[in-house]
Amino acid sequence: MASPAVYDAIRAYLEANWQGCLLVFENEGFDQGQQEDPWVYVEIIGTAWDQHSIGAGAVRDNRWEEFGIIMFHLFVQEGKGTSVIRSNAYGLADLFRGLELLTGTLTFERFSLGGGEAGSDDKKWWRTTATIEWERKAAA
């Protein structure tokens, strides 16, 4: 899991700036059986948190960096093609291009659509995943 500061900053930014389809966040009530439009399930994952400097005395006083991934699981009704998913995926990527949050300590880098994973369906929804890597410097 990402730290609370990173999660809150990314979520607030998405909620304030995303104009596309419905965003659904981790472990929140959502009945996909009632959903008729394309939608995106958002996961904000921390992949590492480690020390990146030495010499400050106590280990905890050195610079620490946090790394992670935003996973956008994009869903469209089965049989509707992938055009709307691609449009939403690249729209989400554009939101994060060159973005800095948390007074410049949180930055966003590589974007991937599909990432080598085949799309899947459950007889109502077809899904593929887009990811954006993030990094936070000087996280304490």
Side-chain angles (χ1 to χ4, degrees):
M1 297 185 113
S3 67
V6 168
Y7 177 88
D8 291 345
I10 292 171
R11 181 175 179 155
Y13 179 76
L14 279 167
E15 290 178 330
N17 294 285
W18 177 242
Q19 301 296 314
C21 60
L22 175 69
L23 297 176
V24 177
F25 291 88
E26 307 166 57
N27 198 30
E28 295 184 1
F30 172 69
D31 183 357
Q32 62 179 281
Q34 300 297 314
Q35 183 63 27
E36 295 299 328
D37 296 321
W39 54 281
V40 179
Y41 179 79
V42 181
E43 290 184 274
I44 304 168
I45 299 168
T47 58
W49 186 53
D50 58 5
Q51 183 178 338
H52 278 259
S53 72
I54 59 172
V59 170
R60 72 175 297 109
D61 294 334
N62 285 284
R63 188 179 87 212
W64 287 70
E65 294 185 6
E66 183 180 5
F67 301 88
I69 299 170
I70 307 170
M71 298 180 75
F72 298 107
H73 304 285
L74 299 113
F75 292 84
V76 66
Q77 288 182 18
E78 178 68 26
K80 298 271 182 154
T82 62
S83 182
V84 69
I85 279 181
R86 291 172 196 280
S87 177
N88 283 311
Y90 280 87
L92 286 160
D94 275 344
L95 279 181
F96 289 89
R97 187 183 314 214
L99 179 67
E100 296 178 346
L101 296 174
L102 298 175
T103 62
T105 63
L106 178 58
T107 58
F108 303 88
E109 305 199 1
R110 287 164 286 289
F111 166 75
S112 173
L113 177 57
E117 175 188 58
S120 65
D121 70 80
D122 69 358
K123 305 302 179 225
K124 174 162 177 140
W125 298 105
W126 191 87
R127 177 204 51 83
T128 195
T129 300
T131 59
I132 297 175
E133 296 177 27
W134 55 266
E135 177 180 340
R136 183 177 182 210
K137 289 184 175 22

